[in-house]
Structure formats: structure tokens, C-alpha cells
Amino acid sequence: MQNFENKKYLIYGFGISGRSCFKYLKKKNCSIKIYDDNLKLYKTYNKYKIKKNNIPRFRFDFVVISPGIHLKNCSLKNYLKKNKNKIINELDLFYQNYETNKKITITGTNGKSTTAKLVYEIFKYCKKDVRLVGNIGKPLLNQKNIKKHTIFIIEASSYQIDYYKNFKTDIAVILNLSPDHLDRHKTFSNYANTKFKLIKSMKPNGIAIIKKNSKILTNLIKKNKIKSKIFKIDDEIDKKFELKITNKLFYNLNNKLNLKFALEICKIFNLKKIKFIKAINSFKTLPYRQQILLDNSKLFIMNDSKSTSFSSTIENLKSYKNIYWIVGGVAKKGDKLQLDLKYRKNIKAYLYGVDKIFFSKQLQNKIYFKKFENLSQTLKHIMLDMRNDNKKKYLIFSPSGASFDQFKNFEARGKYFNLLLNKLKFVNQINDNK
């Protein structure tokens, strides 16, 4: 492992990750300069900032790069190409500081945050000293009062995995893989290999957990001659145990699989199932991630604004009947709707946003749909369509596209959806027509 102390650092990208790295390195008395494509982000750090033209003169030992920066499409691309061997990220600094602590690192295309939080809640209920960090929004280097027995549960994105040099995890979890972030990774093969790096670089006595039917990961394991323990899980949960789960979140096929991964992790740590039933049944998902807003005899409403691809929506469409599905946003490159015929008749789709044409082509001759300009207009038409529907209705806001056409991020989109429901008095309107 490289020695990162008493070195010269350039921090490129001064968002949440960059600032946490800055604070950490400052405490280590390192020489630091910062650069960001948006100069307004760090006005209060004037004595540390550096101009682009001066960067080559400093002969930095390391460049700490933020996950969101694309090496081939940024203002420092020529410098980074020449100094690729110097690039590290916060995972490397974190590993140097907490090398001996147990680490459970969770990645995948969908379900990372929910699974990481679920494992965290179970471990906490079982009286473990545990921290939830990483892509979930809690910087790795901001943690305090860390002890030898502290366990880290890390949510890692493909961007974070792509840039690290030395980080190793004890348990590597890859929940699922489907085409995502191809604007950066270019091909699904590149994307899968980036995720697989988590397994390839884990500790010698590490354990990897993957889906039993994941052909691409199974092939990569064989190709790279991985000798570490590989646990492959299926979709089935012990029936006796499942009967004890009363939390409706886990009736959804997505979350049922997330739960299966969580249980496998708990098994490795010898946690008894019977002890954490309460933690599972009281678990509340993160906002706008398959968040159930209402569930009564007439109407079910889910806010899954986090859904940015078809693959993150499919299990929602398989989990319910009589679905009113809201679809929209910026379509993902290479995304395809792959849904068996038997589920399609249960769905009416409502398309909005910048990529309506893309979504309509994907749904054409598969699922009945209508097109609208925005969410407000969409919800108003759904209210009209629901008036003559006497069955229980399932309103699924699972956009299957990124939010950037009309919103800052998926959180802003999810919040707006909830506000619209209240503004339009959606629930009252539906109930009043019965």
C-alpha cells in the first residue's frame, strides 16, 4: 500500500467528496491545492486554489479526483492522461486510515442505497458498532470515534470503484448489473468490469456475494481465476421466515431480493435471523426509493423517483396489478424495456418529459400509453382515467429516466411529485369519485 502522508496533493473536484478529502489531508499536514471546473464553489479557499496553467509546475504526488469527473471529458483531461498513475480517490485515503476495520461494500445497478441502509439498520439493532458511508451521501472520511471493532457499510458507485488504486473490502456485494452510465463507460462490458473490480481487488480472505443467475459475473470470476469465496444467492427466502415479515416494502420483488442479500451478509457475521425481525419490519426506505405513500383498499401510491432506468422499474411492474405507471425524464443510453407479455396487460403508461419519443418507441406494441408535457398534466389525466376504475389502483411513479430535463436531481423530482399529489388533492379526488 502506498504511503499517502507528507505528500503534495491536488484535489480535483470540490463537492462533498472533495471537501471531506481536503479536511482529512489538512489534519495530516499535507501540502494541498484544489481545482474545480466551477470556480465559484470554493471562494473561501482562495489560498489553496490553483489555476489550471500552474498545475504542471507543482509536481503533485497524488491527484485526488471526485467520482463525478470524467477523465476524458474534463478541463484537465490532458494533464490527467499524462499523470494517470497519480490518480486516487477518497476510498484510497479511507483504506489507509482504516485498513484493519471490517468493510462491507455494496454496489450494483439498482438497490444499493436500500440494501446498504437495511444492513446498517439490522447491524445496529444487533448492537454492532456500525457506520453507513459512501455514495449514500455520508463521506467516508468524515466519521468520528472509530474503534477497532467498528464495521463500515459502504455504498459504492461505479465511478468511485473506477478510480481507486489501493482500496480493498472484506465483503464485496454486487446486487445486479444492467446497462447504466454508458455515456461514461461506453459499453456494458466496461461497466461490468468496473463493478467487478470490487471483487477482483478485495482482500485475500474476502467474500463476494452475487446473484446465482448472473452470467456476466460468473464468467468474469472464471476468466480472472478468482479464488476467494463466492456466495451465489437465489430469489427464494425461507418460507417460515418470510411469514414473519409484515413490512409491506418487502412484498415488492426488488426489495425482497435486497433483503435476501442483507440476510446473506448477516449470516456471514453469525447474526441470528430471529433477533432482527423487528429491525426488518420497522425498516423505512430512503425517500423516493420505492417509497410507499399510501396503501388502502382502493389506492396504492409509490414514489420511486430514484428509478432512472427500465431495469430499476421492472420488478415494480411485476409486483402489482392494475398499474398506472408514470414514465419520463432523460432516457439512459442503451436502455431497453424487457418485460414478459403476461405483465404488460396490467399496465397503463403515462409518458412525459424530454424523451417521450424514446419511451414511446420502447413501449409501442407492448404497453398502452399516453403522452404529456409535464408531471402536473400527467397526474390530472390519471385522475380522470381512474374515475371509472372500480378495482384497486396502483399508481407507480417510477420514471425510468434521469431527472435532469426538468429537475436538479431525483430528490427534487420526488419531492415535486409529492407536492403535486397534495396540490391536486389527488387522493381525495379519487376517493370522492367512488
Side-chain angles (χ1 to χ4, degrees):
M1 187 172 70
Q2 289 174 289
N3 179 16
F4 292 139
E5 294 189 11
N6 303 313
K7 304 289 184 181
K8 293 181 180 178
Y9 287 86
L10 170 66
I11 296 177
Y12 181 23
F14 212 56
I16 294 173
S17 170
R19 286 194 291 272
S20 69
C21 290
F22 174 83
K23 290 176 183 177
Y24 170 79
L25 292 170
K26 199 166 185 297
K27 288 177 183 177
K28 298 288 185 181
N29 296 314
C30 296
S31 172
I32 311 167
K33 292 292 181 182
I34 56 178
Y35 180 82
D36 195 289
D37 293 334
N38 184 352
L39 300 177
K40 295 178 182 179
L41 285 178
Y42 54 105
K43 282 185 177 180
T44 57
Y45 296 85
N46 280 339
K47 71 175 183 176
Y48 296 100
K49 69 182 181 181
I50 186 171
K51 292 182 179 179
K52 178 181 175 180
N53 294 338
N54 291 334
I55 288 173
R57 301 174 192 171
F58 270 76
R59 296 184 180 179
F60 294 104
D61 297 300
F62 295 103
V63 180
V64 184
I65 191 165
S66 292
I69 292 170
H70 188 348
L71 292 183
K72 296 179 181 179
N73 187 24
C74 64
S75 61
L76 296 185
K77 62 182 180 181
N78 293 329
Y79 173 80
L80 294 174
K81 186 177 180 180
K82 292 176 183 177
N83 294 274
K84 197 172 182 179
N85 63 317
K86 296 180 180 180
I87 294 173
I88 60 171
N89 69 4
E90 61 180 335
L91 280 166
D92 293 306
L93 298 175
F94 167 80
Y95 183 68
Q96 185 199 43
N97 215 33
Y98 303 114
E99 182 184 357
T100 59
N101 287 85
K102 289 289 184 184
K103 301 167 194 68
I104 304 163
T105 308
I106 299 171
T107 193
T109 306
N110 306 306
K112 297 185 293 293
S113 299
T114 299
T115 306
K117 186 171 187 287
L118 177 60
V119 174
Y120 169 75
E121 294 294 345
I122 292 172
F123 273 53
K124 194 167 67 168
Y125 181 79
C126 292
K127 309 298 182 185
K128 298 289 184 182
D129 181 8
V130 64
R131 306 299 164 86
L132 179 61
V133 294
N135 193 55
I136 202 162
K138 298 179 180 179
L140 293 147
L141 296 168
N142 282 10
Q143 304 306 306
K144 297 178 181 178
N145 301 318
I146 303 302
K147 302 176 179 64
K148 289 182 179 179
H149 60 271
T150 301
I151 300 167
F152 289 99
I153 297 167
I154 305 164
E155 182 198 331
S157 69
S158 62
Y159 295 169
Q160 289 171 309
I161 296 169
D162 198 17
Y163 289 153
Y164 74 65
K165 287 281 199 310
N166 301 291
F167 174 78
K168 297 181 188 298
T169 190
D170 297 277
I171 298 176
V173 181
I174 303 182
L175 302 171
N176 46 61
L177 286 177
S178 57
D180 202 7
H181 302 303
L182 298 190
D183 53 333
R184 177 148 153 184
H185 296 291
K186 302 302 179 186
T187 67
F188 178 52
S189 178
N190 290 342
Y191 172 70
N193 273 286
T194 299
K195 294 283 193 180
F196 183 72
K197 181 181 174 184
L198 193 66
I199 293 176
K200 195 175 177 181
S201 64
M202 67 183 177
K203 289 185 176 180
N205 60 344
I207 297 172
I209 308 175
I210 65 172
K211 278 187 73 173
K212 192 175 183 178
N213 61 355
S214 179
K215 291 181 180 179
I216 190 164
L217 289 176
T218 300
N219 289 337
L220 284 170
I221 287 165
K222 288 179 181 177
K223 182 180 176 181
N224 290 275
K225 298 178 181 178
I226 302 297
K227 295 180 181 179
S228 305
K229 288 183 181 178
I230 308 292
F231 293 171
K232 297 182 179 182
I233 68 165
D234 54 33
D235 299 347
E236 296 300 318
I237 295 176
D238 178 75
K239 295 298 180 185
K240 289 183 180 178
F241 180 75
E242 193 172 6
L243 288 172
K244 297 175 183 177
I245 305 298
T246 59
N247 191 332
K248 291 182 179 180
L249 280 170
F250 299 106
Y251 298 171
N252 179 287
L253 295 175
N254 271 324
N255 285 329
K256 192 176 284 188
L257 187 58
N258 294 337
L259 175 60
K260 187 68 187 288
F261 272 95
L263 294 176
E264 196 68 32
I265 294 167
C266 294
K267 194 191 298 181
I268 293 168
F269 282 82
N270 295 316
L271 304 182
K272 303 296 182 184
K273 286 182 183 178
I274 196 69
K275 287 188 176 181
F276 49 74
I277 294 287
K278 186 176 179 181
I280 294 169
N281 285 333
S282 61
F283 177 75
K284 293 182 179 178
T285 188
L286 292 158
Y288 321 128
R289 294 168 171 89
Q290 296 172 25
Q291 183 181 16
I292 298 173
L293 303 177
L294 178 72
D295 187 8
N296 59 33
S297 61
K298 297 177 180 179
L299 184 62
F300 173 97
I301 303 176
M302 174 190 284
N303 186 339
D304 191 23
S305 178
K306 182 64 171 68
S307 165
T308 57
S309 65
F310 285 129
S311 64
S312 59
T313 297
I314 289 297
E315 299 304 328
N316 289 336
L317 302 180
K318 292 179 180 178
S319 299
Y320 310 103
K321 294 182 179 180
N322 198 24
I323 294 171
Y324 292 75
W325 176 29
I326 302 177
V327 187
V330 183
K332 288 288 181 75
K333 182 181 177 182
D335 204 10
K336 292 181 180 179
L337 178 65
Q338 297 176 327
L339 184 65
D340 292 343
L341 183 63
K342 64 180 180 179
Y343 298 108
R344 298 176 195 172
K345 61 183 179 181
N346 297 323
I347 305 166
K348 301 182 190 74
Y350 298 80
L351 317 183
Y352 78 93
V354 68
D355 277 341
K356 290 192 297 294
I357 294 174
F358 170 87
F359 289 116
S360 63
K361 286 180 179 178
Q362 285 293 314
L363 271 60
Q364 197 167 18
N365 300 322
K366 295 179 183 178
I367 293 172
Y368 171 83
F369 65 85
K370 295 180 180 180
K371 292 187 286 186
F372 305 97
E373 290 303 313
N374 53 51
L375 266 177
S376 178
Q377 190 183 90
T378 303
L379 276 173
K380 287 175 183 176
H381 278 81
I382 289 174
M383 282 195 297
L384 292 172
D385 286 353
M386 283 185 172
R387 283 183 178 178
N388 298 318
D389 189 346
N390 295 317
K391 298 177 183 176
K392 181 171 180 177
K393 296 160 284 290
Y394 289 82
L395 176 61
I396 308 293
F397 179 50
S398 194
S400 305
S403 57
F404 309 123
D405 60 332
Q406 297 181 6
F407 303 93
K408 180 181 178 182
N409 49 41
F410 79 87
E411 289 97 342
R413 178 169 66 182
K415 185 177 180 180
Y416 180 69
F417 176 75
N418 289 353
L419 288 171
L420 272 180
L421 289 175
N422 291 328
K423 183 180 178 181
L424 298 172
K425 297 181 179 178
F426 188 92
V427 177
N428 291 339
Q429 289 281 351
I430 300 303
N431 289 336
D432 287 347
N433 283 301
K434 294 295 145 197

